[in-house]
Amino acid sequence: MPRAKKKERSLDLYEHIAALNSVEECCRFFDDLCAVTELRAMEQRFDVAKMLHAGKVYTTILSETGASSATVSRVNRVLNYGTGALAEVMERVEQTKEGETAPQEDNETRRNT
């Protein structure tokens, strides 16, 4: 029996993900699309990525996430040799959160400087 031809990547899914408007909508979208185990696996890998990006050591990551050492190694390899998109997005979100929590100057303070 011949093997099925490998399907090329469809950008349709990614276009729809990019069209999501909020975290809540994103959660609902992925809840509808993925099995709970698939979501938990992606969430765990992302938690590992954030911890590696923050400079945490393997033993801490293993104990805090419950991930296997193979998963931590795989995610570390992606951060070091992947496309760079994962780290780029993490940094973008960090900067956005920092901007939201930074103290805002009032108009009076700006006029006096």
Side-chain angles (χ1 to χ4, degrees):
M1 180 177 224
R3 292 181 78 187
K5 182 180 166 186
K6 184 176 179 181
K7 184 179 184 244
E8 294 208 15
R9 176 177 283 182
S10 168
L11 297 180
D12 198 35
L13 170 65
Y14 305 102
E15 289 170 352
H16 283 76
I17 292 169
L20 296 170
N21 293 317
S22 67
V23 173
E24 179 186 340
E25 186 177 33
C26 188
C27 289
R28 291 187 300 113
F29 178 85
F30 279 98
D31 283 345
D32 285 350
L33 186 64
C34 300
V36 172
T37 54
E38 293 168 325
L39 288 171
R40 296 306 166 258
M42 285 191 292
E43 291 166 357
Q44 183 185 62
R45 286 192 297 271
F46 188 74
D47 289 343
V48 168
K50 284 184 1 183
M51 294 174 82
L52 285 167
H53 189 69
K56 293 200 175 183
V57 295
Y58 270 45
T59 53
T60 301
I61 296 169
L62 292 171
S63 66
E64 289 186 16
T65 65
S68 68
S69 58
T71 296
V72 177
S73 293
R74 192 175 316 117
V75 173
N76 189 50
R77 192 168 43 252
V78 166
L79 285 174
N80 288 313
Y81 305 108
T83 66
L86 185 56
E88 185 179 314
V89 172
M90 285 189 294
E91 289 170 9
R92 185 181 312 145
V93 170
E94 287 170 11
Q95 290 173 352
T96 301
K97 286 183 177 182
E98 288 172 3
E100 290 174 357
T101 59
Q104 300 294 319
E105 294 179 341
D106 60 21
N107 289 334
E108 187 65 32
T109 304
R110 275 183 255 147
R111 275 187 290 226
N112 292 331
T113 57

